[in-house]
Amino acid sequence: MAEQDWLAHSPAPLASAYDSVTTVPSWVPPAYELRPLTLGELLDRTFALYRSRFWMFAGIASIAAVVELAAGGTGRVAVHHYSSDPATVYAAGLGVTYVAAFLYFFVYCVTQAATCFALAEVYLGRPATIASSFRAVRGKWYAWIGIGWWQALSAGWPLMAVFVPFVALSAFKNRLGTAGSVVLAVVALLGFLPALVYGVIAYIRNSLAIPAKVVEGQTVRQSMRRSKTLAAGTKGRIAVLGLIVFALQMVAGMMSLPFAVMTAGFKTGTHVFAEMAVLMITFLAHTVVTPIVSIGLCLIYFDQRVRREAFDIEVLLGPGPDPVATSGEMRADAPLV
């Protein structure tokens, strides 16, 4: 196999000599070769698929980004309407940011499922659009939010378990004197770092749940268990994908940092300009960057199934049931393949 052959579309099958006497099944072969991929091949295929359908994937991701932009912009307009004090505007702006991020999280769970559906359709050689992707997942919005909330809690509860006693000890630090400061430092050193590491590992173990539910149509609990099974042995590759996306988000954060600093103590006119710039940079970052992690996780899901379950043979044996019901919504018991 020549270099980069794995990235090319699978060739179409030759016409059968028996076409005139037999009915050819309406089955489309997978658009990309299904075989175990190395980390480099996975990343290359992730960006190749993203480039080939950029507007579709970015369009799906933009729905959640628009909700965040609208919530953040509306909240800041209200804040500036009721106050012109820079300190008040800055503090209220932080609260608006948290509320907008909270709303973004819920919508992002749905758009991630739509991205996984679109990727699976494209990857397996079937047409996909923004509208068809949302039609396929709209009836199960509560399941996507449930999976996202479960993933967030699995990553966040270790940090909260350390944070609560840390805050309690901080309240008595002055009474305990030097000993209290030492105990507080030990708790921070021995508590937060292991909790952070454990939280990241827990999130990685659960990161394939949405692709599992999209493709296999399982329940939320079954999808979480399925993710733990498929993530075994590939946590390093998921971590590398996460680091790449984190680095891209950090680049966007560095671009917005000067504008965020401008909101800390400048006059109201500067506040408005800086906040608009931060909102637009955040919108573009979430629209352009977040599809990468969804596409990459879905490809890792398929790759693990190829490695562990001969998924490539399963696909070649023939088509599975149609994942989209006549109403346009995905059936809970209908797998994608």
Side-chain angles (χ1 to χ4, degrees):
M1 178 182 294
E3 184 178 1
Q4 300 298 324
D5 280 354
W6 58 268
L7 190 58
H9 290 266
S10 299
L14 297 176
S16 171
Y18 301 95
D19 283 350
S20 58
V21 294
T22 60
T23 301
V24 180
S26 58
W27 173 74
V28 180
Y32 292 85
E33 181 185 8
L34 294 176
R35 66 171 182 84
L37 303 176
T38 65
L39 174 61
E41 291 171 343
L42 268 171
L43 295 176
D44 283 348
R45 187 169 288 192
T46 296
F47 287 100
L49 281 163
Y50 187 26
R51 288 195 304 269
S52 68
R53 302 290 194 282
F54 173 79
W55 292 112
M56 180 181 68
F57 290 124
I60 294 173
S62 68
I63 304 300
V66 165
V67 170
E68 183 183 32
L69 179 64
T74 303
R76 283 170 170 78
V77 168
V79 168
H80 285 289
H81 176 74
Y82 286 104
S83 177
S84 60
D85 178 61
T88 302
V89 170
Y90 177 73
L94 286 179
V96 169
T97 299
Y98 292 138
V99 172
F102 195 69
L103 295 175
Y104 169 79
F105 168 78
F106 286 111
V107 183
Y108 169 73
C109 295
V110 180
T111 58
Q112 185 183 7
T115 301
C116 289
F117 180 88
L119 184 278
E121 291 288 274
V122 172
Y123 199 55
L124 298 177
R126 296 190 286 262
T129 63
I130 296 176
S132 66
S133 300
F134 277 107
R135 281 198 303 268
V137 303
R138 66 184 179 185
K140 298 295 180 182
W141 58 269
Y142 52 88
W144 315 124
I145 293 176
I147 290 176
W149 191 249
W150 194 327
Q151 291 171 334
L153 287 178
S154 68
W157 76 261
L159 287 173
M160 290 302 300
V162 177
F163 181 75
V164 171
F166 180 80
V167 172
L169 288 173
S170 299
F172 295 97
K173 181 181 67 173
N174 294 331
R175 296 182 182 181
L176 298 176
T178 305
S181 300
V182 172
V183 171
L184 196 63
V186 171
V187 170
L189 181 62
L190 300 181
F192 281 105
L193 183 58
L196 178 62
V197 173
Y198 181 84
V200 171
I201 294 175
Y203 184 83
I204 289 175
R205 293 177 64 205
N206 296 322
S207 60
L208 301 181
I210 285 186
K213 178 163 180 59
V214 168
V215 177
E216 302 176 40
Q218 299 183 351
T219 65
V220 172
R221 184 177 296 275
Q222 290 171 339
S223 299
M224 300 301 291
R225 292 175 179 172
R226 183 73 166 141
S227 176
K228 291 179 175 63
T229 300
L230 292 176
T234 193
K235 294 184 180 67
R237 296 193 295 175
I238 298 175
V240 170
L241 174 66
L243 287 174
I244 291 174
V245 174
F246 177 75
L248 293 175
Q249 292 284 11
M250 287 298 295
V251 171
M254 294 301 295
M255 293 173 60
S256 64
L257 181 60
F259 300 103
V261 172
M262 290 172 64
T263 66
F266 291 88
K267 58 184 181 181
T268 303
T270 306
H271 265 297
V272 174
F273 168 76
E275 288 172 352
M276 289 176 57
V278 171
L279 286 173
M280 291 306 303
I281 292 173
T282 304
F283 168 79
L284 292 174
H286 286 169
T287 299
V288 176
V289 177
T290 53
I292 298 174
V293 67
S294 300
I295 295 171
L297 289 175
C298 201
L299 289 181
I300 291 175
Y301 163 82
F302 280 123
D303 187 67
Q304 284 298 99
R305 290 196 64 183
V306 169
R307 291 172 181 269
R308 301 164 67 96
E309 303 170 356
F311 180 72
D312 49 339
I313 298 176
E314 178 182 340
V315 172
L316 292 174
L317 288 177
D322 186 359
V324 182
T326 55
S327 63
E329 295 184 359
M330 180 182 294
R331 297 192 301 271
D333 57 346
L336 189 63
V337 177

